[in-house]
Amino acid sequence: MSAMSRRALLAGAASAGLVACTTGPGLAGSRWVAAPELANLPPPAPREFRAAWVATVANIDWPSRKGLSAAEQQAEVLALLDQAAALKLNAIILQIRTSADALYESALEPWSEYLTGTQGQSPGYDPLALWIAEAHRRGIELHAWFNPFRARQSSATSALAGTHLSQTQPDWVKRYGDQLWIDPGEPGAADHTLAVFMDVLQRYDVDGIHIDDYFYPYPINDSSPSKAEIDFPDQPSWQRYLDGGGMLTRADWRRRNVDDLIERLYNGIRQTKPWVRFGISPFGLPRPDLRPPGITGFSQYHKLYADVERWLAEGWLDYLVPQLYWPIAQRPQAFAPLLEAWHGLNPKGRHVWPGLFTSRITDKADSWQPDEVLSQIALVREQRPGTGHAHFSMVALSQNRKGLADALKAGPYAEPALVPATPWLTDRLPDATVLTVSAAADGQWRLRLRPAARRHAAWLHQDGRWSFRLLTQAETLLPAAGLDAIVVSAINRIGQEGLRAGYALQP
């Protein structure tokens, strides 16, 4: 912006009576005036889904161990969210149902043992409510992550609570290997699982509902020399289906059981809170006949009975996070072709944000190096700019393994980013932001924004260039040095930007 055009702009704004505020002592009588001509000068807001899973099962990420006091658990929540904010992550995917249990106040399922060490024992507060409030205070989305069918994980040690599904509805729960699983073919069990999702959706201000890759369980093998695969023990529900005149094969029937839950869940979210996004994180390989040349490996379509390609084609989800947990150079599961394959199976244009196996960075001999994760982020940006990714899991970032967090802060996460908008969902566009600027102590400007919004995008013109900021509070302080123009806009729940408002400093 030239000096002449700026003077003309300010003169026009002042003559129109668009003075936003007058400063107090300390900044020499300067004042800020509304300058709508500035609104379209900054570039578009940077967009990228930057998420981390926070796994609670087996205390992978949080709490760090069973039996911590409520105060200790809460301190860990705040520390993890502070680290996420410092990294400029914009979403946390928090596991709140690991095994037909709850990390929140629930009348449907017992408290998780991963909190107190005893299933059914209250930690003395509502963890999900705390996570949501503190994430939102930092401008971070909170997506509630459920395991839909697992009923007991192999590392569990607590006695099962009397209210656990295995005790109240034992016919719905099957032992498979060293775990317990809810049978997706039991109509009552499917209804119960859907009720659990809808209960959280109705009572909590979540930004997303998220499920992982455990549908029917990953197959296990017997101890015979042939290592034969053990079939999932759903004979009673399968026989009832046949007795009722069912004509599908057993594999197709199992896939239909999972399909029905996905469709009912997506429709339930749309009817209840249309702005909440539904995300699924499946195993990273598509169906064998839909893979790129040279890609080989496990088929979730045939073994987990997960028809992910159908869910994309039908539009029964808002975002897909395929677990691309292999290094770029691993040709049978090559990262770049798989990323493009999932995008190519996406006729309705849903979000595709790959999951990265960040926790493969360890102190072990087979550890990844940080450059692998940095290169995968760069590859996603190159192939599909403006999309995003998710890290499994937060512990690798919070521990700054091999300097990864530092490298992200200095490199790809140096600038904040907004979550990509989801325009096929419904939410009202925000009103134009009204900005009031006043002088604060120590050479700073105090910005007040109204109406209140969880996130405001802000572009600051300092020393001749625009920089982007994400404002998460109704009031914030900014250094005054070199700052002569501000453009702001509010962001709604589905990531859409409201009208921009421009303001300029008049000496």
Side-chain angles (χ1 to χ4, degrees):
M1 178 168 39
S2 71
M4 181 61 70
S5 64
R6 184 167 178 272
R7 284 197 297 271
L9 174 65
L10 294 175
S15 66
L18 299 176
V19 177
C21 72
T22 303
T23 73
L27 287 171
S30 299
R31 63 179 183 172
W32 286 85
V33 297
E37 292 86 348
L38 291 177
N40 294 320
L41 292 184
R47 298 274 184 170
E48 182 174 64
F49 188 69
R50 291 182 196 160
W53 280 284
V54 172
T56 57
V57 66
N59 300 100
I60 292 173
D61 290 299
W62 177 86
S64 60
R65 58 181 174 83
K66 301 175 187 178
L68 294 178
S69 69
E72 290 170 326
Q73 290 180 19
Q74 292 166 8
E76 289 188 351
V77 173
L78 301 184
L80 286 170
L81 286 171
D82 283 344
Q83 291 165 334
L87 270 171
K88 300 186 179 67
L89 300 182
N90 50 33
I92 288 292
I93 305 170
L94 174 68
Q95 189 176 30
I96 66 166
R97 187 195 197 227
T98 76
S99 329
D101 57 0
L103 284 98
Y104 59 94
E105 292 275 3
S106 173
L108 299 177
E109 296 189 317
W111 284 105
S112 173
E113 73 167 87
Y114 300 113
L115 292 167
T116 65
T118 300
Q119 189 177 85
Q121 181 177 325
S122 170
Y125 72 106
D126 188 331
L128 179 56
L130 177 68
W131 273 96
I132 292 170
E134 292 297 331
H136 288 174
R137 194 165 67 84
R138 293 162 176 79
I140 296 172
E141 294 187 351
L142 197 290
H143 295 231
W145 163 21
F146 301 74
N147 185 285
F149 296 120
R150 187 172 56 204
R152 185 171 176 85
Q153 200 258 355
S154 53
S155 70
T157 58
S158 171
L160 290 160
T163 54
H164 189 260
L165 207 59
S166 63
Q167 308 302 298
T168 61
Q169 298 287 349
D171 290 345
W172 295 353
V173 178
K174 309 298 180 183
R175 177 166 294 280
Y176 188 65
D178 59 0
Q179 301 191 3
L180 298 180
W181 288 84
I182 301 168
D183 180 0
E186 290 284 354
D191 290 345
H192 171 83
T193 295
L194 182 65
V196 168
F197 283 105
M198 299 307 295
D199 174 56
V200 170
L201 181 70
Q202 291 162 352
R203 293 193 295 120
Y204 291 91
D205 188 22
V206 296
D207 299 286
I209 296 291
H210 183 97
I211 60 177
D212 55 26
D213 55 319
Y214 292 102
F215 301 103
Y216 280 81
Y218 281 84
I220 59 174
N221 303 97
D222 65 23
S223 58
S224 69
S226 64
K227 298 293 183 185
E229 188 175 296
I230 301 173
D231 198 20
F232 183 70
D234 55 1
Q235 182 62 31
S237 55
W238 166 241
Q239 190 61 52
R240 281 198 304 275
Y241 169 74
L242 294 177
D243 292 345
M247 301 295 290
L248 295 174
T249 67
R250 195 165 189 169
D252 286 339
W253 169 75
R254 287 173 173 173
R255 275 186 285 270
R256 193 188 70 177
N257 294 332
V258 180
D259 289 348
D260 286 349
L261 179 68
I262 300 299
E263 182 181 16
R264 292 171 68 195
L265 178 54
Y266 186 73
N267 289 335
I269 295 169
R270 296 286 70 80
Q271 293 162 11
T272 306
K273 289 184 177 178
W275 60 89
V276 171
R277 280 144 295 161
F278 178 37
I280 302 176
S281 176
F283 185 77
L285 301 184
R287 207 171 73 195
D289 59 320
L290 297 174
R291 295 174 183 176
I295 298 297
T296 61
F298 181 81
S299 171
Q300 64 188 328
Y301 177 85
H302 293 98
K303 299 298 184 180
L304 306 182
Y305 306 98
D307 194 351
V308 182
E309 295 80 5
R310 183 186 180 193
W311 308 339
L312 272 174
E314 299 283 357
W316 292 342
L317 50 83
D318 300 304
Y319 68 89
L320 190 78
V321 191
Q323 297 173 17
L324 302 191
Y325 285 176
W326 305 280
I328 291 173
Q330 187 164 314
R331 296 181 67 180
Q333 295 85 35
F335 189 98
L338 284 171
L339 178 62
E340 285 307 298
W342 284 114
H343 278 283
L345 294 166
N346 185 22
K348 292 188 180 292
R350 297 315 199 218
H351 297 301
V352 176
W353 301 322
L356 313 182
F357 201 0
T358 306
S359 287
R360 277 293 303 274
I361 299 175
T362 66
D363 57 1
K364 298 179 180 178
D366 62 349
S367 168
W368 285 5
Q369 298 303 312
D371 279 350
E372 179 65 47
V373 172
L374 296 172
S375 295
Q376 290 183 0
I377 292 172
L379 190 152
V380 174
R381 288 181 171 185
E382 178 184 350
Q383 289 188 197
R384 294 289 174 169
T387 57
H389 52 272
H391 296 276
F392 188 85
S393 63
M394 186 64 196
V395 65
L397 301 175
S398 63
Q399 292 176 355
N400 191 24
R401 293 181 183 174
K402 297 192 175 183
L404 174 64
D406 292 337
L408 289 168
K409 289 178 187 177
Y413 296 173
E415 184 179 51
L418 298 175
V419 171
T422 308
W424 56 87
L425 300 186
T426 301
D427 195 20
R428 186 175 66 86
L429 282 174
D431 296 329
T433 300
V434 177
L435 177 67
T436 302
V437 189
S438 59
D442 302 322
Q444 297 185 97
W445 293 115
R446 176 176 286 106
L447 277 60
R448 294 185 176 90
L449 303 107
R450 67 180 195 276
R454 187 179 300 164
R455 293 177 296 273
H456 284 87
W459 292 262
L460 312 179
H461 193 263
Q462 289 177 290
D463 302 321
R465 69 181 190 89
W466 292 101
S467 62
F468 178 73
R469 292 281 295 270
L470 187 61
L471 304 181
T472 61
Q473 304 296 320
E475 182 174 314
T476 192
L477 296 174
L478 292 176
L483 181 62
D484 59 10
I486 303 172
V487 172
V488 291
S489 62
I491 308 300
N492 70 8
R493 293 292 299 265
I494 58 174
Q496 293 171 314
E497 185 182 343
L499 291 175
R500 293 184 180 186
Y503 295 85
L505 180 65
Q506 188 175 57

